[in-house]
């Protein structure tokens, strides 16, 4: 990029607040008190993100008499659930292509379950009056290089053969009539399979709904260890303990209380920018009347969407794995990535030159080698876990909550019979091999993007083994 353009990108970041836009909201509820002393309950849910909140809510919906306690180490919705792009997808498999490749015999069922899951989220938002700016506008996968356009065209033909409807191929003119960028060559529009929402308001609304149903929530209450206690389990916290017949772990990117689960995920830091609100003239210059979510088709991809007040969220591209899987608030800010994202934003939308960014932030995603969640139990079925959502957990965490509750019930269901639920991804190796493998993969993906999509020997070997790295 030319020095003048780089200066323009840097200037656009000069007033950006180093905090997630979604969490910087006056609607944020006050934190609840920490647990002190001992609690006894039927079900303990560990984690106050989407995974834990849906688990607690659905547990009470299934059995209103069941006593449920939820503990959260910081505040509800403060981590990935309050920092993501707000893309709530029906897909349970990190996209149809990943699902077809891994579970071809189950893909029709998985697609059906995913659609029902998204419908259930929409219904719950309405039923509990959760004002999370829910808009079922769909998502467009965008081609910005000729090889990507050809791949999308071929994939659309495969989608038609699979009998899946509601996904339309858009040529250059049709796409630019929806959202206008000189970089857009065409795209695939999934019209009903993705909703846009305010992620933090969804978490806060679920928190309220859980409390209204009688769930006792303790914030600033970290689960320190998990041990057997009689016929149930006990979780120690900084100021007390929780004794429970059953435990559901929704800790995701944070180290699992079941230690053998930890090698299956690594934290990957993802970053995003939010612009100031667009003027009517600026919005008219890019169109976007349908308010769809968008994502480009590169390996190092961007995701972008409009907020309720017509800001543009622009995120992705860099996926940073810290050596050793270190989690730190310091990693939430990465100026070199923010500058790169700003430069790329103005390449995509040069007509918005002069627009400034109001917020810049990052956060960690729980990534697994198959890109989509895995499940299991421990302690003779007294504990269930779900993890590895790899950036598509806004919708699929609700399905994961259903799976955990099914597993804790001890009864076989249509969900627990799924190969996706019964299988595990390949665990990541110990350091330094994890870091080295991830770095080689990232560099290979970047080369593929700049080389017409050609995948080198390393990536082809990873594909053959069913392994990958993604945010």
């Amino acid at each position: 990029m030319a020095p003048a353009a780089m200066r323009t990108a840097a200037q656009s970041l000069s007033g950006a607040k180093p905090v997630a836009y979604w969490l910087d909201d006056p609607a944020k509820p006050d934190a609840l008190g920490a647990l002190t002393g001992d609690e006894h309950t039927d079900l303990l849910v560990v984690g106050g993100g989407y995974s834990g909140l849906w688990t607690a809510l659905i547990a009470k919906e299934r059995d209103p008499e069941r006593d449920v306690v939820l503990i959260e180490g910081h505040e509800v919705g403060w981590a990935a659930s309050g920092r993501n792009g707000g893309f709530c997808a029906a897909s349970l498999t990190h996209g149809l292509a990943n699902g077809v490749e891994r579970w071809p015999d189950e893909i029709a069922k998985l697609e059906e379950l995913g659609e029902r899951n998204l419908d259930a989220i929409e219904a719950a938002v309405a039923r509990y009056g959760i004002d999370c700016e829910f808009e079922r506008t769909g998502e467009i996968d965008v081609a910005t290089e000729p090889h990507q356009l050809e791949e999308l065209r071929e994939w659309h033909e495969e989608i038609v053969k699979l009998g899946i409807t509601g996904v339309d191929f858009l040529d250059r003119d049709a796409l630019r009539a929806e959202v206008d960028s000189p970089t857009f060559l065409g795209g695939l529009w999934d019209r009903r399979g993705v909703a846009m929402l305010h992620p933090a308001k969804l978490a806060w609304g679920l928190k309220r709904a859980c409390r209204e149903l009688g769930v006792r929530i303790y914030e600033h209450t970290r689960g320190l260890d998990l041990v057997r206690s009689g016929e149930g389990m006990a979780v120690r916290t900084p100021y007390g303990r929780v004794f429970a017949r059953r435990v559901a772990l929704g800790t995701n990117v944070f180290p699992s209380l079941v230690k053998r689960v930890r090698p299956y995920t690594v934290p990957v830091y993802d970053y995003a920018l939010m612009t100031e609100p667009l003027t009517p003239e600026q919005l008219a210059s890019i169109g976007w009347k349908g308010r769809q979510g968008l994502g480009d088709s590169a390996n190092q991809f961007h995701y972008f969407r409009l907020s309720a007040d017509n800001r543009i969220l622009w995120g992705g591209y860099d996926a940073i794995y810290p050596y050793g899987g270190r989690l730190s608030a310091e990693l939430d800010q990465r100026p070199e990535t923010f500058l790169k994202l700003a430069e790329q934003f103005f390449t995509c939308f040069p007509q918005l030159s002069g627009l400034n960014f109001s917020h810049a932030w990052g956060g960690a995603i729980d990534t697994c080698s198959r890109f989509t969640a895995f499940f299991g139990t421990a302690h003779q079925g007294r504990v269930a876990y779900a993890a590895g959502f790899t950036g598509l957990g806004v919708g699929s965490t609700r399905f994961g909550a259903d799976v955990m509750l099914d597993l804790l019930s001890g009864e076989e269901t249509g969900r627990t019979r799924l190969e996706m639920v019964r299988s595990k991804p390949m665990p990541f190796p110990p350091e330094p091999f994890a870091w080295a493998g991830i770095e080689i993969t990232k560099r290979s993906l970047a080369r593929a993007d700049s080389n017409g999509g050609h995948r080198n020997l390393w990536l082809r070997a990873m594909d053959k083994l069913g392994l990958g790295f993604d945010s």
Side-chain angles (χ1 to χ4, degrees):
M1 178 170 278
M6 187 176 292
R7 283 196 301 273
T8 298
Q11 290 167 355
S12 71
L13 293 163
S14 63
K17 298 172 68 173
V19 63
Y21 167 76
W22 311 114
L23 297 173
D24 187 26
D25 193 300
K28 181 178 180 294
D30 293 336
L32 301 172
L35 172 68
T36 57
D38 290 348
E39 265 278 22
H40 294 79
T41 187
D42 296 326
L43 173 67
L44 170 63
V45 179
V46 182
Y50 297 142
S51 188
L53 291 164
W54 281 118
T55 302
L57 186 71
I58 295 171
K60 292 294 285 186
E61 289 179 336
R62 290 188 182 188
D63 180 4
E65 300 304 312
R66 176 162 28 191
D67 192 56
V68 180
V69 168
L70 182 149
I71 61 172
E72 159 57 40
H74 190 61
E75 293 183 21
V76 161
W78 76 280
S81 296
R83 300 166 187 253
N84 62 81
F87 287 64
C88 186
S91 176
L92 305 176
T93 59
H94 207 276
L96 178 60
N98 190 50
V100 168
E101 181 179 344
R102 297 184 187 279
W103 303 289
D105 296 336
E106 289 185 345
I107 192 61
K109 182 65 173 177
L110 289 168
E111 286 291 293
E112 177 193 350
L113 288 169
E115 291 172 10
R116 284 163 49 187
N117 184 65
L118 182 55
D119 289 343
I121 292 172
E122 185 172 14
V125 165
R127 183 166 65 253
Y128 294 108
I130 299 175
D131 181 16
C132 62
E133 299 162 13
F134 190 97
E135 299 178 279
R136 199 156 175 176
T137 52
E139 180 179 12
I140 302 175
D141 291 332
V142 175
T144 57
E145 297 289 343
H147 74 272
Q148 296 170 8
L149 182 63
E150 186 58 31
E151 289 169 358
L152 288 181
R153 194 188 307 274
E154 292 174 358
W155 178 234
H156 184 250
E157 293 173 359
E158 291 298 316
I159 291 173
V160 173
K161 290 178 184 177
L162 288 168
I164 293 172
T165 60
V167 180
D168 297 331
F169 180 81
L170 305 178
D171 62 18
R172 178 183 178 276
D173 291 342
L175 175 55
R176 293 188 63 175
E178 294 294 331
V179 187
D180 190 15
S181 165
T183 68
F184 291 175
L185 303 180
L188 285 184
W189 183 3
D190 180 352
R191 292 179 177 269
R192 290 282 298 167
V194 183
M196 299 293 107
L197 53 77
H198 187 303
K201 286 184 178 179
L202 174 60
W204 300 335
L206 291 172
K207 173 184 175 179
R208 174 181 54 78
C210 283
R211 295 187 73 201
E212 289 174 352
L213 293 186
V215 177
R216 299 192 300 287
I217 297 177
Y218 298 96
E219 295 181 284
H220 298 288
T221 301
R222 183 182 169 201
L224 300 176
D225 57 43
L226 173 70
V227 296
R228 287 282 297 276
S229 176
E231 294 300 311
M233 304 299 300
V235 171
R236 183 171 59 89
T237 71
Y239 306 123
R241 296 172 299 176
V242 183
F243 297 90
R245 291 181 57 254
R246 296 290 183 266
V247 177
L249 300 178
T251 50
N252 298 303
V253 77
F254 299 98
S256 177
L257 293 178
V258 176
K259 292 183 180 179
R260 70 170 183 268
V261 176
R262 295 179 185 180
Y264 289 101
T265 63
V266 294
V268 175
Y269 277 81
D270 181 54
Y271 297 92
L273 304 174
M274 184 69 93
T275 73
E276 61 191 5
L278 273 64
T279 65
E281 293 75 22
Q282 289 171 324
L283 189 58
S285 74
I286 59 173
W288 216 340
K289 294 177 183 178
R291 301 183 58 80
Q292 309 93 331
L294 282 85
D296 61 50
S297 301
N299 293 306
Q300 291 183 290
F301 63 92
H302 303 91
Y303 54 89
F304 39 117
R305 47 81 53 102
L306 289 169
S307 67
D309 60 349
N310 291 330
R311 301 168 185 262
I312 297 177
L313 178 142
W314 177 265
Y317 193 77
D318 275 345
I320 306 301
Y321 169 68
Y323 185 88
R326 180 172 64 97
L327 291 167
S328 171
E330 294 176 4
L331 298 173
D332 293 346
Q333 292 292 308
R334 198 167 192 267
E336 60 268 41
T337 292
F338 297 146
L339 181 59
K340 188 184 303 180
L341 284 171
E343 293 167 355
Q344 293 162 341
F345 176 85
F346 291 113
T347 298
C348 182
F349 294 121
Q351 60 269 55
L352 297 180
S353 178
L355 188 66
N356 292 315
F357 295 99
S358 62
H359 295 75
W361 73 94
I365 293 169
D366 61 323
T367 295
C368 74
S369 61
R370 74 182 192 187
F371 309 149
T372 189
F374 61 92
F375 313 89
T377 61
H379 296 280
Q380 289 76 52
R382 295 174 176 85
V383 177
Y385 56 83
F389 291 94
T390 316
L392 252 69
V394 179
S396 57
T397 43
R398 186 193 175 281
F399 174 80
D402 265 327
V403 170
M404 284 196 285
L405 291 169
D406 287 352
L407 292 171
L408 289 174
S409 76
E411 298 178 7
E412 189 177 80
T413 68
R415 285 179 288 260
T416 61
R417 284 191 293 269
L418 291 167
E419 176 63 23
M420 188 187 81
V421 171
R422 293 187 290 111
S423 63
K424 294 281 195 301
M426 185 75 75
F428 289 93
E431 298 293 12
F433 304 106
W435 186 87
I438 288 170
E439 283 300 305
I440 293 170
T441 303
K442 286 173 56 181
R443 293 174 187 179
S444 297
L445 290 170
R447 283 197 293 270
D449 282 338
S450 61
N451 192 26
H454 176 72
R455 298 174 78 81
N456 63 16
L457 183 61
W458 174 268
L459 291 179
R460 293 199 300 274
M462 296 281 281
D463 292 342
K464 191 171 184 180
L465 292 170
L467 303 176
F469 174 78
D470 198 4
S471 66

